[in-house]
Amino acid sequence: MLKEKIILTGDRPTGRLHIGHYVGSLRRRVELQNSGIYDKVFVFVADAQALTDNMDNPEKVRQNVVEVALDYLACGLDPSKTTMFIQSQIPELTELSFYYMDLVTVSRLQRNPTVKTEIQMRNFETSIPVGFFTYPISQAADITAFRATTVPVGEDQEPMIEQTREIVRRFNFIYGDTLVEPEILLPDNAACLRLPGTDGQAKMSKSLGNCIYLSDPADEVEKKIRSMYTDPTHLRVSDPGKLEGNTVFTYLDAFCRDEHFQRYLPDYANLQELKDHYTRGGLGDVKVKRLLASVMQEILEPIRTRRKEFEKDIPAIYDILKQGCEKARETASKTLDDVRKAMKINYFDDEALIAEQSARFAEK
Ligand code: ATP
Ligand code: MG
């Protein structure tokens, strides 16, 4: 039998989704969903993971579940093609995580560069919650429970997928071929691997407050773009400007296509011409920011409009999630059955075991 092609990916409900999520993963997911190449697509709201560093703020996590689901639908994820579910409602995932913990060492977890950065960002220092420290293991459970072959995510998730692959290989080596090794699918555009924040920081992140949200009203987007970080040495229009670390140009790399120039800035044929002018000198930041604002509004306007429609019927959103959870549980519990069998903890389904032991004791 040919291996099924299965997508799985998710987001933490720590805030609404932003344009970093969009270019890092969301845009790709919608394309993959509509490509018809994949047998199944699972997308989930990682509330249990969000609680690992928001344990004292359950209300924040709870309120953001629906926000993330609305962003999914607004971007074009379609519940008839994609199973959308909430992580905490699938208890099978917790059980898998518990077994996978036996296959990973503390020092291996300590080497995870993304977790290292996140621990620093959260000032956990020596008081790291065990749940947070082990979240890469829980991510392995999420991915493997659905036998995902493809995980479309941003660059920060690379260590997680590598950790998952290691767990799968170790599990299959010890217990026999049971789990599927996933592949990471990174954005093909370098600017989208890790979109920087509007403040120029390395990553746009809900937790850093440097985001343009998909649901921001048009005037808010304008305002955020106007105050964006550019090249601090580019003081006068006539000064030559630098592109490296210039967030406005990084965003243009991520979002702008040649056709946008015909519509919004016909003096230039494409982004390269604009970049050349900027580095030569004589092109002001305001003009570049105006172009970016036009491009962003063109992309965000339809998302905003669709979101407003979905916001009118919140019970329907919960219905979608509930149905998704039921479907997801079915799949996850099948994998868990296989895992229990492989690990020899399926006592009550194992007639051979009972028969063999009966015979052994009868001989005594
Ligand atoms: P938090 O700060 O709570 O961790 P986050 O903004 O990092 O939130 P996540 O929910 O952790 O968002 O990430 C969800 C997905 O979006 C992952 O696939 C991640 O790689 C991708 N992603 C998040 N931020 C960016 C970014 N700035 N650029 C590209 N991809 C991103
Ligand atoms: Mg994150």
Side-chain angles (χ1 to χ4, degrees):
M1 199 180 78
L2 262 175
K3 192 165 77 178
E4 278 190 303
K5 286 167 82 81
I6 300 173
I7 295 204
L8 176 121
T9 184
D11 307 273
R12 294 152 42 93
T14 48
R16 291 171 288 145
L17 298 185
H18 53 65
I19 60 172
H21 298 119
Y22 185 73
V23 294
S25 169
L26 204 43
R27 178 166 65 181
R28 192 61 160 290
R29 291 177 211 174
V30 177
E31 285 165 17
L32 297 171
Q33 166 201 265
N34 295 333
S35 72
I37 299 172
Y38 290 86
D39 300 290
K40 289 178 195 149
V41 185
F42 294 96
V43 173
F44 72 103
V45 186
D47 62 336
Q49 189 189 117
L51 282 167
T52 64
D53 58 330
N54 291 277
M55 69 300 277
D56 50 359
N57 204 349
E59 197 54 36
K60 168 178 154 190
V61 173
R62 170 157 91 162
Q63 293 301 333
N64 279 307
V65 170
V66 75
E67 298 279 4
V68 171
L70 283 165
D71 286 326
Y72 286 168
L73 294 161
C75 285
L77 285 179
D78 172 354
S80 72
K81 298 179 186 155
T82 292
T83 306
M84 286 174 228
F85 66 93
I86 308 174
Q87 187 188 29
S88 63
Q89 305 307 297
I90 320 295
E92 287 78 5
L93 300 176
T94 332
E95 193 175 330
L96 282 177
S97 302
F98 190 67
Y99 302 141
Y100 294 171
M101 283 186 188
D102 301 335
L103 306 177
V104 181
T105 64
V106 171
S107 67
R108 174 66 185 87
L109 287 175
Q110 278 167 335
R111 282 203 306 273
N112 185 313
T114 300
V115 176
K116 261 193 206 164
T117 316
E118 289 177 340
I119 285 171
Q120 268 168 8
M121 244 171 69
R122 285 161 180 76
N123 293 319
F124 280 150
E125 287 156 16
T126 52
S127 48
I128 311 162
V130 174
F132 184 82
F133 183 63
T134 55
Y135 90 73
I137 301 179
S138 120
Q139 254 178 253
D142 302 333
I143 295 168
T144 54
F146 299 94
R147 302 186 190 286
T149 50
T150 312
V151 186
V153 283
E155 196 184 34
D156 63 315
Q157 294 301 307
E158 232 167 348
M160 312 306 163
I161 311 303
E162 195 39 51
Q163 177 72 80
T164 303
R165 291 165 62 89
E166 281 175 33
I167 290 175
V168 169
R169 287 198 289 263
R170 197 155 153 70
F171 188 102
N172 288 349
F173 177 73
I174 301 174
Y175 304 113
D177 211 9
T178 313
L179 302 173
V180 176
E181 211 173 309
E183 305 275 348
I184 190 170
L185 188 63
L186 289 170
D188 34 29
N189 176 340
C192 303
L193 287 170
R194 188 182 299 243
L195 198 75
T198 49
D199 55 357
Q201 283 209 61
K203 179 173 174 291
M204 179 174 286
S205 171
K206 284 171 273 174
S207 309
L208 294 173
N210 57 7
C211 308
I212 296 178
Y213 292 98
L214 294 171
S215 50
D216 274 345
D219 55 345
E220 186 77 23
V221 175
E222 296 276 344
K223 210 165 78 193
K224 286 182 178 174
I225 292 178
R226 241 181 289 130
S227 57
M228 260 175 77
Y229 183 86
T230 56
D231 167 12
T233 64
H234 185 235
L235 298 172
R236 284 176 304 257
V237 172
S238 55
D239 290 340
K242 270 204 296 291
L243 300 173
E244 202 182 312
N246 187 323
T247 319
V248 176
F249 277 96
T250 311
Y251 287 14
L252 284 173
D253 277 328
F255 292 100
C256 190
R257 298 186 304 271
D258 291 356
E259 67 202 66
H260 289 133
F261 283 92
Q262 290 150 29
R263 282 203 279 287
Y264 305 120
L265 207 54
D267 292 350
Y268 304 85
N270 53 41
L271 189 52
Q272 194 52 53
E273 280 188 14
L274 191 79
K275 284 180 177 174
D276 291 344
H277 192 179
Y278 192 79
T279 46
R280 265 198 322 270
L283 175 59
D285 283 335
V286 175
K287 200 167 175 181
V288 186
K289 285 182 173 177
R290 253 193 235 129
L291 168 70
L292 177 63
S294 305
V295 172
M296 289 313 314
Q297 300 295 14
E298 183 183 311
I299 293 167
L300 295 178
E301 185 51 35
I303 297 176
R304 269 196 295 261
T305 312
R306 274 200 302 271
R307 198 186 207 270
K308 291 238 166 60
E309 278 306 305
F310 285 113
E311 285 173 2
K312 288 181 187 157
D313 192 356
I314 295 300
I317 312 297
Y318 278 96
D319 273 344
I320 292 171
L321 291 170
K322 191 166 175 224
Q323 282 174 31
C325 287
E326 283 163 15
K327 221 169 135 187
R329 259 200 99 171
E330 270 172 40
T331 308
S333 67
K334 280 194 195 116
T335 307
L336 187 59
D337 282 347
D338 293 348
V339 163
R340 286 163 155 267
K341 192 170 169 205
M343 293 182 74
K344 299 187 180 292
I345 50 176
N346 62 333
Y347 311 104
F348 306 124
D349 310 328
D350 193 351
E351 281 170 22
L353 169 78
I354 299 170
E356 175 255 308
Q357 288 188 340
S358 305
R360 181 156 64 82
F361 282 101
E363 271 169 28
K364 275 190 182 167

